[in-house]
Amino acid sequence: MKPAMETTAEENQELNQEKRGCFECCIKCLGGVPYASLVATILCFSGVALFCGCGHVALTGTVTILENHFSTLPSDHALLTHVVQLMQYVIYGIASFFFLYGIILLAEGFYTTSAVKELHSEFKTTICGRCISGMFVFLTYILGVAWLGVFGFSAVPVFVFYNMWSTCATMRSPGANITSIDSICVDVRQYGVISWNATPGKVCGSALGDICNTSEFYLSYHLYIVACAGAGATVIALLIYMMAATYNFAVLKFKSREDCCTKF
């Protein structure tokens, strides 16, 4: 009976060691996960998807509203139509680029985090690797500044649609002291959307109220708000990317100096 009991005790000890080894391996792998880059990637994908998807549909609805109510002649809004089509193609390119760029930044975050924490012996800092990390820091900074401009630009249609919506809400308000509803107008020509020669160019009174009640106006207004929020989320994601990449680059550069000092 004793040899059998000793064998069982040895097997239990080996099993506990294997479990402890698996647990330590899992903890080691989780320690190499770049959580900041992971959160930034999810936020970037969500923001770009909202901006591109909602912006594409909202632009189509905006052209429909202008064609039906503000510019009856095709020649008056021909330039706007071409610009909207160009912007929609640009949206396709933005979505494709940031899908690939987010994956690349996430992969770079995995490698640099493992090198910073020295989790695996095969991950060593090299001059080429530090140059690539520095390049990503610079490129992410440029993209962040560009997306700040996109965020500001996406707020312009929200402002225009909000002015129209508030004007319609004022006309429908029972407490508003309005002598003549026909005197309340919205002229989109003052925003530079269409030329000053466009006819009619402005809509007044009950016709303006009818525009605010259309599904195109309601959908486009809310989609522009979501698209603007998506652009803001993308700016935040790029800021998180930049902070994480800058930290990893600084630590890798510092470790390379330590390695050079220990060699002599």
Side-chain angles (χ1 to χ4, degrees):
M1 296 294 293
K2 289 184 178 180
M5 294 178 61
E6 291 177 357
T7 303
T8 303
E10 291 177 356
E11 291 178 353
N12 291 334
Q13 187 177 2
E14 292 178 356
L15 183 60
N16 291 332
Q17 290 179 354
E18 291 179 358
K19 290 181 179 179
R20 191 180 300 111
C22 292
F23 179 76
E24 292 176 355
C25 182
C26 292
I27 295 299
K28 188 176 182 180
C29 291
L30 290 176
V33 175
Y35 294 102
S37 297
L38 185 61
V39 172
T41 301
I42 297 174
L43 189 62
C44 181
F45 284 172
S46 302
V48 172
L50 289 175
F51 174 79
C52 294
C54 297
H56 186 279
V57 179
L59 287 173
T60 304
T62 302
V63 172
T64 302
I65 294 173
L66 291 175
E67 290 178 348
N68 294 336
H69 303 283
F70 291 96
S71 180
T72 56
L73 297 177
S75 59
D76 292 335
H77 57 268
L79 179 61
L80 176 65
T81 303
H82 291 303
V83 171
V84 168
Q85 291 177 353
L86 179 61
M87 292 177 64
Q88 289 176 338
Y89 285 119
V90 170
I91 284 175
Y92 298 146
I94 290 174
S96 303
F97 173 78
F98 272 90
F99 177 76
L100 296 176
Y101 189 69
I103 293 176
I104 292 173
L105 283 182
L106 183 61
E108 194 266 346
F110 271 102
Y111 285 114
T112 53
T113 301
S114 299
V116 166
K117 296 184 178 180
E118 296 179 348
L119 297 175
H120 305 284
S121 59
E122 62 268 18
F123 289 150
K124 298 294 184 179
T125 60
T126 61
I127 296 177
C128 181
R130 292 193 297 273
C131 289
I132 293 175
S133 297
M135 181 192 68
F136 279 122
V137 172
F138 177 74
L139 184 58
T140 305
Y141 175 79
I142 296 299
L143 291 175
V145 173
W147 269 96
L148 278 175
V150 173
F151 176 68
F153 178 76
S154 62
V156 174
V158 176
F159 172 74
V160 174
F161 273 78
Y162 174 76
N163 283 341
M164 293 182 61
W165 176 81
S166 61
T167 303
C168 293
T170 302
M171 290 192 303
R172 291 193 296 264
S173 178
N177 188 12
I178 301 174
T179 57
S180 177
I181 297 179
D182 294 333
S183 61
I184 300 177
C185 303
V186 170
D187 192 348
V188 296
R189 294 174 297 184
Q190 63 182 344
Y191 301 110
V193 178
I194 54 179
S195 63
W196 282 103
N197 298 325
T199 54
K202 65 178 182 179
V203 178
C204 305
S206 59
L208 179 60
D210 294 337
I211 295 175
C212 295
N213 293 329
T214 59
S215 59
E216 290 86 2
F217 177 85
Y218 183 83
L219 182 62
S220 298
Y221 178 38
H222 289 84
L223 287 179
Y224 276 127
I225 295 175
V226 177
C228 184
T234 306
V235 172
I236 296 174
L238 291 174
L239 180 62
I240 297 174
Y241 271 136
M242 188 171 58
M243 289 189 297
T246 303
Y247 171 78
N248 290 333
F249 175 74
V251 174
L252 290 177
K253 191 174 181 180
F254 179 75
K255 285 182 176 293
S256 66
R257 291 180 179 179
E258 285 185 342
D259 294 339
C260 292
C261 292
T262 54
K263 288 180 182 179
F264 295 100

